[in-house]
């Protein structure tokens, strides 16, 4: 079990480098049950993590809160989500979604605006925006503020918030592309990144059509660089903003990176994903769950200064975790998610020696 004193100590240890980018101790991992298909995990302010439960046709999606102190999951009741639209920030949003049918995928918490962005596939292809505020007990509550509706045939995957209410959104493929499956299996270009602002709307980012199945995205603190997991191509790409043609640098990996996150000190980029063939992964994605059983979990860390990757988790299986997607670090623990699973894994970090 966790406790607040341990977390406080862990934070101090991270500051001194004791746990900075240290690998997780897989043998000591435990799995939080009662949740399914947690595609993404994001730490909110305070002692809470929010998880997105992606609908798989059998189980409904939704949002979960996890206490960092004890790992206990709490489902967010759709009826408790307030509706407080912000038409200035989201001028073209037609209205609030049906919160009961949300099918959330990847998320981003933009702390400067205290705003949570969620990619949603339930009833409409969209990015939904929520403000986050604590209740009297300190538990986060959500208030819906607006949305960005995806163009017809474009599938959204991940979102990153920027200043001035701007966004970057990834799309791994177009639904109207008859060759999308072959492209993804072969690691060929498919999909693109999009920029969005209240003034200019949604626009494709030049040059990103060369990416192969862009998935999770994060940005640097100064917003000059965008990092994207090219899932089908098995690489991470750093995209430098500026000019009509952004510069793209690719970092090859030996697995399919899915979600990205920053280490607590902001000095390391974490990439979580799957170690398997493209065929097996696509079978798992489209719903053949038996094909998910043999997919190993893998994770890497990248130093943004040297651009060199290093293994964070070698190819392995966690009981109850299938088709892994991401990894985040809070204090001296790692949290691991997956889109075809029955839980969330938590593994302690191994102190650097």
């Amino acid at each position: 079990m966790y406790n607040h004193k341990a977390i406080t100590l862990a934070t101090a240890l991270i500051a001194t480098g004791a746990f900075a980018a240290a690998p997780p101790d897989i043998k000591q991992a435990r799995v939080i049950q009662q949740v399914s298909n947690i595609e993404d995990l994001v730490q909110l302010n305070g002692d809470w993590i929010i998880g997105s439960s992606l609908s798989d046709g059998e189980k409904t999606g939704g949002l979960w809160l996890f206490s960092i102190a004890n790992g206990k999951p709490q489902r967010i009741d759709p009826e408790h989500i307030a509706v407080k639209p912000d038409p200035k920030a989201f001028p073209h949003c037609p209205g609030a979604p049906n919160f009961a049918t949300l099918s959330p995928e990847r998320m981003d918490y933009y702390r400067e605006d205290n705003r949570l962005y969620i990619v949603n596939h339930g009833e409409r292809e969209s990015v939904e925006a929520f403000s986050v505020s604590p209740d009297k007990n300190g538990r986060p509550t959500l208030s819906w503020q607006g949305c960005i509706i995806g163009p017809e045939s474009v599938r959204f995957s991940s979102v990153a918030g920027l200043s001035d209410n701007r966004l970057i959104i990834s799309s791994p493929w177009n639904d109207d592309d008859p060759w999308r499956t072959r492209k993804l299996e072969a690691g060929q270009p498919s999909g693109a990144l999009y920029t969005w602002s209240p003034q200019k709307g949604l626009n494709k980012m030049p040059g990103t059509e060369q990416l192969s199945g862009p998935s999770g995205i994060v940005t640097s603190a100064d917003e000059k660089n965008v990092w994207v997991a090219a899932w089908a191509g098995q690489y991470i790409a750093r995209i430098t903003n500026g000019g009509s043609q952004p510069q793209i640098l690719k970092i090859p990996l030996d697995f399919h990176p899915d979600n990205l996150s920053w280490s607590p000190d902001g000095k390391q980029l974490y990439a979580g994903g799957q170690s398997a063939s493209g065929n097996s992964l696509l079978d798992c994605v489209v719903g053949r769950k038996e094909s998910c059983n043999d997919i190993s979990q893998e994770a890497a860390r990248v130093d943004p200064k040297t651009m060199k990757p290093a293994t964070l988790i070698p190819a392995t299986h966690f009981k109850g975790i299938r088709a892994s997607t991401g990894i985040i670090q809070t204090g001296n623990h790692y949290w691991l998610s997956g889109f075809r699973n029955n839980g969330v894994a938590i593994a302690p970090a191994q102190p650097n020696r």
Side-chain angles (χ1 to χ4, degrees):
M1 301 296 287
Y2 298 169
N3 59 68
H4 292 283
K5 291 183 179 180
I7 292 173
T8 302
L9 175 60
T11 302
L13 289 170
I14 286 176
T16 63
F19 289 102
D25 186 348
I26 303 302
K27 294 180 180 180
Q28 299 299 318
R30 67 187 182 97
V31 176
I32 299 174
Q33 304 291 338
Q34 305 170 346
V35 295
S36 61
N37 303 340
I38 300 297
E39 161 70 36
D40 198 11
L41 295 164
V42 173
Q43 184 175 1
L44 304 175
N45 288 332
D47 298 328
W48 297 89
I49 288 173
I50 190 167
S52 57
S53 177
L54 186 65
S55 175
D56 62 4
E58 296 179 3
K59 299 178 181 178
T60 58
L63 298 168
W64 289 80
L65 286 174
F66 298 86
S67 167
I68 295 177
N70 57 31
K72 183 179 179 180
Q74 304 176 38
R75 188 178 180 84
I76 296 178
D77 189 337
E79 295 185 0
H80 293 168
I81 299 177
V83 176
K84 298 180 180 179
D86 185 344
K88 183 178 180 180
F90 305 97
H92 306 296
C93 179
N98 182 351
F99 299 127
T101 60
L102 284 179
S103 182
E105 194 172 357
R106 292 174 188 85
M107 307 175 291
D108 184 45
Y109 180 49
Y110 189 69
R111 286 173 170 76
E112 285 75 2
D113 290 340
N114 203 32
R115 182 175 285 155
L116 178 71
Y117 296 103
I118 297 174
V119 169
N120 169 52
H121 305 297
E123 295 190 9
R124 68 187 189 188
E125 193 72 7
S126 61
V127 172
E128 307 291 342
F130 303 82
S131 64
V132 183
S133 58
D135 64 14
K136 62 181 180 180
N137 298 315
R139 181 178 182 270
T141 62
L142 301 182
S143 297
W144 179 87
Q145 292 187 311
C147 66
I148 297 93
I149 303 297
E152 187 175 353
S153 82
V154 172
R155 179 180 176 85
F156 286 162
S157 180
S158 187
V159 59
L162 301 172
S163 56
D164 301 324
N165 297 317
R166 295 174 298 127
L167 299 175
I168 297 177
I169 304 169
S170 65
S171 173
W173 68 77
N174 285 358
D175 286 336
D176 61 358
D177 182 357
W179 306 108
R180 63 183 182 277
T181 300
R182 289 188 181 182
K183 290 178 180 178
L184 292 169
E185 288 177 345
Q188 296 175 346
S190 172
L193 298 188
Y194 292 81
T195 60
W196 180 88
S197 70
Q199 299 78 23
K200 298 181 179 180
L202 192 71
N203 293 279
K204 187 177 292 185
M205 184 182 291
T208 60
E209 299 93 338
Q210 69 172 275
L211 298 173
S212 180
S215 183
I217 48 178
V218 295
T219 63
S220 58
D222 59 10
E223 300 184 357
K224 292 182 179 179
N225 292 312
V226 178
W227 299 80
V228 57
W231 178 80
Q234 298 190 92
Y235 61 85
I236 298 172
R238 186 192 68 185
I239 304 171
T240 302
N241 289 325
S244 58
Q245 197 74 14
Q247 296 180 339
I248 300 178
L249 189 150
K250 300 178 181 179
I251 304 171
L253 299 175
D254 60 0
F255 65 97
H256 294 267
D258 209 331
N259 293 1
L260 301 178
S261 66
W262 288 108
S263 62
D265 60 10
K267 296 181 179 180
Q268 296 284 320
L269 180 69
Y270 295 160
Q274 312 95 32
S275 179
S277 69
N279 292 340
S280 298
L281 288 171
L282 287 170
D283 283 345
C284 179
V285 168
V286 299
R288 292 178 55 189
K289 294 185 178 180
E290 63 275 10
S291 64
C292 302
N293 295 331
D294 297 327
I295 296 174
S296 297
Q297 177 165 310
E298 197 161 347
R301 64 177 185 263
V302 176
D303 185 333
K305 293 183 178 180
T306 65
M307 302 295 290
K308 293 182 179 180
T311 298
L312 189 62
I313 300 177
T316 187
H317 284 87
F318 279 153
K319 183 179 180 180
I321 301 296
R322 301 185 301 173
S324 63
T325 50
I327 178 169
I328 66 171
Q329 184 179 0
T330 62
N332 63 341
H333 284 80
Y334 290 92
W335 294 59
L336 302 107
S337 57
F339 69 90
R340 291 278 189 268
N341 64 68
N342 296 310
V344 170
I346 305 176
Q350 303 180 65
N352 289 319
R353 301 185 185 279

